[in-house]
Amino acid sequence: MSVTDEKIMLTSFNETQAQRALALAREALDIETEALRKLSARLGDDDSVARAVALMMACKGRVVVSGIGKSGHIGRKIAATLASTGTPALFLHPAEAAHGDLGMVTPGDVLIAISYSGESSELAIVIPAVKRMGVPVIAMTGKPESRLAQASDVHLDVAVDKEACPLNLAPTASTTATLALGDALAVALLELRGFKSEDFALSHPGGALGRRLLTRVSDVMRSGDAVPKVAPDTLLIDALLEISQKGMGMTAVVDGEGRPVGVFTDGDLRRLIAKVQDFSTLVIRDVMHANPRRIHPEQLAVDAVAVMEEFRINQMLVTDADDKLVGALHIHDLTRAKVI
């Protein structure tokens, strides 16, 4: 839509309509907020949530979530949340289940069946077959007297007084309540399993947290000929050539066994210029910064970031268990790897 078209649209949308739209939006949010408040208050009325969590904690297989229509959309989100927080889970479309996909369910699984009415014909076909396998069923419905609720091992009541839809027809408050309760189950399981941020990163390797918690120094460091290094008796002029060629703004100074004894950076050069006029006879050992910071290649890259920030340095040497130089890091390497 062009800017002109948008202006025309807004012009035709009069002040009365704008106020009505805002009022309807607020009313919908208020209805859904009230539904969640009542759902939270109702959780203490029985032990259904505790029993549902216990079933999933004891599950040797996966938590299979199933529902159709809007309940199916909510079910997919619940399954995804469970899977990403330490509870193996998958979504099973009930109509497809009746035509072969039921083979995805194994005796060690737990089924969460979602239907607000509790009378979904598709789930009605699936439930008996699942029960014959000995798979426990957790039902999420708004009707405790429904067939699905009665056939379940645990019933979670997600009833709402009314939908946010003005016609009280479109699933709105009820789907919000169901989704929120699914999140609540996942959070409870996460805490009880001792799930940590490191575990979360393992299932999100492509995300920012995954990169921060899984990327090791060895994954991003420069190695081999890309690492600038010179011997202690190297003339400063030659060391500067090494710095220029390798493009890291520094060079390591290593002894005969490859262990770093010092480092010389662009910053050291700037400070040296203010003191020294003749560079031709200077040897790197006389102007290097001794005992440079170093890190092990198997440490997390975020550890290198922490050291760099603490000591306000842009480069860092990487050494192995014998303190031999195996690589080097520049702050830009960590930025490119999106660790920072």
Side-chain angles (χ1 to χ4, degrees):
M1 180 184 296
S2 69
V3 174
T4 302
D5 291 339
E6 187 175 356
K7 287 181 178 179
I8 293 173
M9 182 189 71
L10 292 174
T11 301
S12 63
F13 197 67
N14 61 45
E15 184 65 24
T16 300
Q17 290 174 312
Q19 291 179 354
R20 180 56 179 159
L22 179 59
L24 288 169
R26 283 176 172 162
E27 183 181 359
L29 291 173
D30 288 343
I31 290 172
E32 298 199 5
T33 299
E34 180 65 8
L36 292 180
R37 189 191 65 77
K38 289 186 175 181
L39 173 61
S40 177
R42 197 165 62 235
L43 292 185
D45 293 344
D46 57 40
D47 62 350
S48 58
V49 169
R51 290 193 293 128
V53 171
L55 278 176
M56 289 187 279
M57 282 283 290
C59 176
K60 302 300 182 184
R62 299 146 307 170
V63 174
V64 180
V65 186
S66 191
I68 200 161
K70 302 299 185 294
S71 294
H73 295 310
I74 296 301
R76 290 181 189 277
K77 166 58 169 64
I78 291 174
T81 301
L82 288 168
S84 69
T85 53
T87 299
L90 59 86
F91 178 77
L92 175 68
H93 194 292
E96 299 295 342
H99 295 279
D101 280 6
L102 194 60
M104 297 165 67
V105 183
T106 65
D109 296 339
V110 169
L111 176 71
I112 296 179
I114 305 173
S115 168
Y116 189 75
S117 69
E119 301 296 342
S120 164
S121 58
E122 292 83 2
L123 282 174
I125 297 173
V126 171
I127 297 302
V130 168
K131 298 280 282 186
R132 282 195 296 271
M133 296 183 204
V135 171
V137 175
I138 300 169
M140 299 179 75
T141 84
K143 309 290 182 183
E145 71 282 359
S146 64
R147 286 187 298 168
L148 178 56
Q150 294 300 313
S152 66
D153 296 280
V154 178
H155 175 243
L156 299 175
D157 185 1
V158 292
V160 297
D161 292 339
K162 61 179 179 178
E163 299 289 2
C165 165
L167 302 176
N168 198 32
L169 294 174
T172 44
S174 59
T175 49
T176 297
T178 305
L179 178 60
L181 185 54
D183 286 342
L185 294 174
V187 169
L189 286 164
L190 177 156
E191 175 69 22
L192 292 172
R193 292 185 192 279
F195 191 81
K196 297 181 173 58
S197 56
E198 291 82 0
D199 302 309
F200 187 87
L202 288 172
S203 58
H204 298 76
L209 179 63
R211 286 190 294 272
R212 286 179 59 84
L213 295 182
L214 298 179
T215 302
R216 300 194 178 276
V217 170
S218 58
D219 297 326
V220 295
M221 72 182 191
R222 306 185 195 191
S223 58
D225 292 338
V227 179
K229 56 182 180 292
V230 296
D233 58 355
T234 301
L235 288 173
L236 177 58
I237 296 296
D238 294 329
L240 294 179
L241 181 61
E242 178 75 355
I243 292 174
S244 178
Q245 289 176 338
K246 300 300 172 64
M248 283 197 69
M250 71 91 185
T251 183
V253 182
V254 298
D255 62 19
E257 295 182 350
R259 294 186 176 90
V261 295
V263 67
F264 188 83
T265 70
D266 285 345
D268 295 324
L269 176 61
R270 288 192 295 272
R271 287 184 287 272
L272 191 61
I273 289 173
K275 301 177 182 179
V276 179
Q277 300 298 319
D278 184 9
F279 282 38
S280 61
T281 60
L282 284 179
V283 176
I284 196 69
R285 73 157 61 88
D286 297 329
V287 293
M288 71 182 186
H289 178 76
N291 300 316
R293 303 287 170 186
R294 62 259 270 174
I295 194 167
H296 191 274
E298 289 307 305
Q299 285 185 250
L300 292 174
V302 290
D303 294 336
V305 174
V307 174
M308 288 181 175
E309 290 178 345
E310 179 181 357
F311 295 100
R312 297 182 181 181
I313 56 178
N314 292 327
Q315 307 94 344
M316 199 169 182
L317 304 183
V318 184
T319 56
D320 63 15
D322 296 322
D323 197 33
K324 292 185 177 181
L325 186 69
V326 294
L329 273 178
H330 193 283
I331 194 74
H332 292 163
D333 300 327
L334 298 164
T335 303
R336 279 193 293 269
K338 298 183 179 180
V339 175
I340 299 177

